[in-house]
């Protein structure tokens, strides 16, 4: 038989085998054995466990990551997920639309939010002689400039949210849950005077703290993150403090949203709460087990009584506390937005920029939009650029203390956004350098503010300074100015490599808006301001 004929006869059989193999692969993971999970970004460290979970249960978890409040908003909008998994569900369960979607809830692991303090600073502050150290003592040290710390933004990350709740309960002096009247009387400014580094996620905060540990005394974060820091080679260890007047513990509930997937959900929950998975989670993620049959590792977790705080029963109380933090309690900020209005932004791109600015100026009434908008006491400087810095369009404005005056300011910002027009080329680095020059002037006049720069572009910088020129410029800046981070936004056909390099040079972070849109990225960046 000729070779060509033999191959022709064999070919149908091979095709059949391939088709059968493909069917088998599909059959391994039918839809009923896959759970789509809206998950908090801190759960990325659980991913290595998922193949073992799948092998044991036949259920595959497909994660899509989201911030906690953003997740609540997505569940309000009825996005189709089989399950949700965040560090806590306390806020979610107070929101009627989101709560109505929850069919079951099971706690998987535990991690209290605690205070990490450098060992030598802990002793210097005399805290080793205070057996019942609480938030008020920490606040007094911060007010006196003796305790400078890192903490996430409470509107973007649960570790900051939990810390804020603990501080508010302690300063109120109440044993029961806070009310709106309690929030109105609170003055948390003494503690937040020491808040020197913020972030929109607990993981990024830990990385930034490690890079700037020399100017800071500690970090407020999940116990698991503090333990991971202490296990990092070369890191100055942190003494972990559990304030005696109360903490909040993340219990990582896995929430069932799709009743049709209950059987798969129960398989996953039972396996995750089993001894094998609980031991892995404790060992690899440094979170406490919920299964009493798995003994907590006392080398990691001290045998202390963790006083859990009462959580407010009304969502209005929490919202009021978060808005009070943004507008009254925290250090006021000065944000510089460096905005590309070059010719390539014509059309949908400039419309996207206008919409993003409109949202930050109060035009976005969504849950995340309310917390991302410009707040009381903020200063905002907008620096448009094309082939050069567009000085005729540059805008600097102050938010006051009163809502009525702020509404006029926000209206003027919305009007400004609509008047932006495109022109010329792209001088990105000249514009960022201009932001640093203006920040230097502002910092001399008001050194207590928290300064950040946001730079967005949709293309390659093709005018003015190069990236190497900017590196040299940045190296010549005084040390306080070099602490100002640049958060870059990749938009359109922007150069991802250069925008990442610019962000990393300044200790910032690059955000990619090509999938989630410019408005979503600007809202995410607000957690870092």
């Amino acid at each position: 038989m000729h070779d060509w004929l033999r191959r022709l006869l064999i070919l149908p059989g091979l095709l059949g085998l391939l088709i059968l193999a493909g069917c088998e692969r599909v059959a391994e993971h039918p839809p009923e054995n896959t759970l789509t999970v809206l998950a908090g970004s801190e759960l990325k460290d659980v991913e290595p466990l998922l193949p073992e979970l799948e092998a044991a249960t036949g259920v595959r978890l497909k994660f899509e990551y989201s911030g906690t409040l953003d997740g609540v908003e997505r569940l309000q909008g009825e996005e189709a997920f089989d399950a949700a998994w965040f560090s806590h569900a306390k806020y979610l369960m107070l929101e009627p639309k989101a709560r109505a979607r929850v069919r079951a809830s099971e706690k998987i692991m535990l991690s209290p939010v605690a205070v990490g303090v450098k060992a030598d600073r802990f002793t210097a502050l005399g805290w080793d002689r205070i057996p019942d150290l609480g938030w008020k003592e920490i606040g007094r040290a911060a007010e006196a400039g003796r305790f400078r710390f890192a903490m996430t933004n409470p509107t973007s990350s649960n570790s900051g949210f939990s810390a804020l709740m603990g501080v508010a309960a302690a300063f109120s002096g109440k044993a029961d849950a806070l009310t709106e009247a309690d929030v109105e009387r609170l003055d948390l400014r003494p503690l937040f005077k020491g808040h020197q580094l913020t972030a929109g996620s607990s993981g990024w905060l830990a990385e930034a703290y490690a890079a700037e540990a020399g100017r800071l005394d500690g970090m407020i974060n999940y116990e698991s993150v503090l333990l991971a820091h202490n296990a990092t080679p070369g890191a100055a260890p942190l003494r972990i403090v559990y304030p005696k007047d109360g903490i909040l513990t993340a219990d990582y509930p896995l929430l069932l949203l799709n009743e049709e997937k209950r059987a798969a959900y129960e398989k996953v929950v039972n396996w995750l709460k089993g001894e094998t998975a609980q031991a892995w989670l404790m060992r690899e993620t440094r979170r406490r087990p919920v299964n009493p049959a798995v003994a907590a590792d006392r080398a990691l977790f001290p045998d202390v009584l963790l006083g859990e705080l009462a959580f407010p029963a009304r969502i209005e109380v929490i919202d009021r506390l978060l808005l009070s933090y943004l507008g009254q309690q925290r250090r006021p900020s000065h944000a510089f937005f460096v905005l590309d209005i070059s010719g390539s932004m014509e059309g949908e791109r400039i419309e996207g920029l206008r919409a993003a600015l409109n949202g930050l100026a109060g035009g976005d009434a969504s849950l995340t939009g309310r917390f991302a908008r410009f707040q009381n006491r903020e200063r905002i400087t907008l620096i448009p650029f094309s082939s050069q810095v567009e000085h005729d369009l540059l805008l600097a404005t102050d938010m006051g203390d009163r809502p009525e005056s702020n509404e006029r300011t926000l209206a003027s910002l919305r009007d400004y956004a609509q008047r932006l027009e495109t022109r010329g080329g792209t001088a990105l680095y000249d514009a960022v350098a201009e932001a640093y020059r203006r920040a230097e002037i502002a910092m001399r006049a008001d050194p207590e503010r928290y300064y950040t720069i946001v730079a967005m572009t949709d293309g390659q910088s093709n005018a003015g300074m190069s990236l190497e020129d900017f590196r040299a410029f940045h190296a010549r800046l005084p040390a306080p100015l070099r602490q100002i981070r640049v958060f870059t936004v990749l938009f359109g056909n922007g150069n991802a490599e250069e925008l990442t390099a610019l962000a990393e040079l300044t200790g910032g972070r690059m955000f990619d808006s090509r999938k989630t849109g410019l408005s979503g990225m600007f809202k995410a960046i607000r957690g870092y301001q």
Side-chain angles (χ1 to χ4, degrees):
M1 185 182 292
H2 293 292
D3 286 344
W4 65 269
L5 182 57
R6 183 182 297 109
R7 288 195 295 269
L8 186 62
L9 292 172
I10 291 173
L11 183 59
L14 289 174
L15 289 173
L17 289 172
L18 289 171
I19 291 169
L20 286 172
C23 291
E24 287 174 4
R25 283 195 294 273
V26 171
E28 286 175 4
H29 302 290
E32 62 269 19
N33 287 340
T34 298
L35 289 181
T36 56
V37 183
L38 185 61
S41 58
E42 61 267 36
L43 286 164
K44 288 180 180 179
D45 61 3
V46 176
E47 284 186 355
L49 183 63
L50 299 187
E52 191 174 346
L53 180 153
E54 185 178 339
T57 66
V59 180
R60 170 178 289 180
L61 299 189
K62 292 179 64 176
F63 282 4
E64 184 170 331
Y65 294 106
S66 169
T68 303
L69 289 182
D70 181 56
V72 172
E73 187 172 87
R74 295 177 71 175
L75 294 182
Q76 286 176 326
E78 300 183 357
E79 284 195 46
F81 291 97
D82 298 318
W85 197 2
F86 293 100
S87 54
H88 74 78
K90 295 180 176 69
Y91 188 97
L92 185 151
M93 295 304 286
L94 290 177
E95 204 294 313
K97 286 186 179 179
R99 182 180 66 242
R101 296 190 61 185
V102 177
R103 298 290 179 262
S105 175
E106 289 285 347
K107 299 175 183 178
I108 303 299
M109 50 196 172
L110 304 169
S111 191
V113 171
V115 185
V117 186
K118 288 180 179 176
D120 57 347
R121 196 72 194 136
F122 187 83
T123 303
L125 288 166
W127 288 349
D128 56 333
R129 301 189 299 274
I130 304 177
D132 56 348
L133 181 66
W135 287 113
K136 288 187 177 180
E137 288 80 13
I138 295 169
R140 281 194 286 268
E143 183 180 25
R146 302 183 66 207
F147 183 61
R148 298 158 300 174
F149 62 91
M151 187 187 91
T152 60
N153 187 317
T155 66
S156 302
S157 169
N158 178 60
S159 63
F161 174 84
S162 298
L164 176 63
M165 295 299 300
V167 170
F171 275 58
S172 73
K174 292 188 62 176
D176 52 351
L178 292 174
T179 66
E180 289 177 85
D182 297 327
V183 173
E184 293 298 328
R185 291 191 292 267
L186 283 174
D187 183 5
L188 308 180
R189 289 173 296 177
L191 174 71
F192 291 119
K193 186 177 180 181
H195 189 190
Q196 302 295 310
L197 173 63
T198 191
S201 77
S202 302
W204 193 89
L205 183 82
E207 294 175 6
Y209 172 83
E212 297 194 22
R215 72 179 185 95
L216 298 168
D217 302 310
M219 170 172 51
I220 299 174
N221 215 320
Y222 295 115
E223 176 188 59
S224 58
V225 174
L226 300 176
L227 290 170
H229 170 85
N230 287 349
T232 303
L238 296 171
R239 173 78 174 265
I240 301 180
V241 175
Y242 306 89
K244 297 300 182 182
D245 36 13
I247 58 171
L248 284 179
T249 298
D251 53 16
Y252 296 90
L254 182 57
L255 309 175
L256 173 65
L257 305 176
N258 182 358
E259 183 62 40
E260 294 180 0
K261 297 293 184 74
R262 181 175 287 273
Y265 167 82
E266 289 179 351
K267 288 180 184 178
V268 169
V269 165
N270 290 337
W271 192 83
L272 286 173
K273 295 178 74 171
E275 294 185 25
T276 298
Q278 292 280 289
W280 187 96
L281 291 167
M282 178 170 57
R283 181 179 67 252
E284 300 297 331
T285 76
R286 298 175 177 84
R287 297 185 180 101
R288 300 176 181 230
V290 295
N291 185 341
V294 179
D297 184 349
R298 292 307 172 204
L300 288 177
F301 312 118
D303 190 12
V304 296
L305 181 64
L306 302 179
E308 196 71 11
L309 291 164
F311 198 80
R314 299 178 63 247
I315 200 167
E316 292 82 4
V317 178
I318 302 170
D319 288 350
R320 183 71 202 96
L321 179 58
L322 292 173
L323 291 171
S324 173
Y325 165 81
L326 292 172
Q328 300 167 21
Q329 310 293 352
R330 69 171 180 170
R331 290 171 61 200
S333 65
H334 190 159
F336 293 81
F337 288 84
V338 177
L339 308 171
D340 186 350
I341 59 166
S342 61
S344 60
M345 287 286 291
E346 180 66 29
E348 290 184 2
R349 294 177 182 178
I350 194 66
E351 288 301 325
L353 176 57
R354 291 173 184 145
L357 291 175
N358 183 71
L360 296 184
D364 183 350
S366 67
L367 175 63
T368 53
R370 284 189 292 124
F371 294 119
R373 60 174 280 178
F374 296 130
Q375 301 290 336
N376 289 0
R377 305 180 301 142
E378 270 195 279
R379 287 180 182 160
I380 303 107
T381 300
L382 306 179
I383 305 177
F385 71 93
S386 56
S387 301
Q388 65 212 0
V389 175
E390 301 291 351
H391 289 280
D392 60 317
L393 295 177
L394 193 146
L395 176 68
T397 190
D398 279 277
M399 299 288 289
D401 290 325
R402 296 194 305 274
E404 58 274 16
S405 61
N406 282 341
E407 186 47 50
R408 288 191 293 272
T409 302
L410 292 171
S412 68
L413 283 166
R414 292 193 294 270
D415 179 65
Y416 171 89
Q418 295 309 309
R419 289 186 285 107
L420 286 177
E421 298 292 343
T422 59
R423 63 183 81 171
T426 307
L428 171 65
Y429 300 110
D430 281 8
V432 177
E434 178 68 18
Y436 272 107
R437 294 187 192 101
R438 290 179 176 272
E440 182 173 23
I441 296 169
M443 190 178 282
R444 284 201 203 104
D446 194 349
E448 294 304 313
R449 286 186 179 268
Y450 190 81
Y451 291 88
T452 56
I453 297 171
V454 177
M456 63 77 58
T457 182
D458 76 328
Q460 178 85 32
S461 186
N462 56 22
M465 282 187 187
S466 66
L467 176 58
E468 290 310 310
D469 294 335
F470 182 81
R471 287 185 191 275
F473 166 85
H474 188 267
R476 294 192 298 269
L477 292 173
L481 277 179
R482 289 200 304 274
Q483 293 174 5
I484 299 177
R485 293 174 166 79
V486 177
F487 297 94
T488 57
V489 181
L490 175 61
F491 189 55
N493 300 317
N495 188 316
E497 185 176 339
E498 284 204 3
L499 290 180
T500 300
L502 173 59
E504 291 179 348
L505 171 67
T506 66
R509 177 181 173 186
M510 192 272 278
F511 291 80
D512 189 340
S513 72
R514 291 174 296 182
K515 293 182 180 179
T516 58
L518 200 56
S519 291
M521 288 298 94
F522 273 26
K523 285 200 287 186
I525 286 172
R526 294 289 287 162
Y528 295 77
Q529 296 183 317

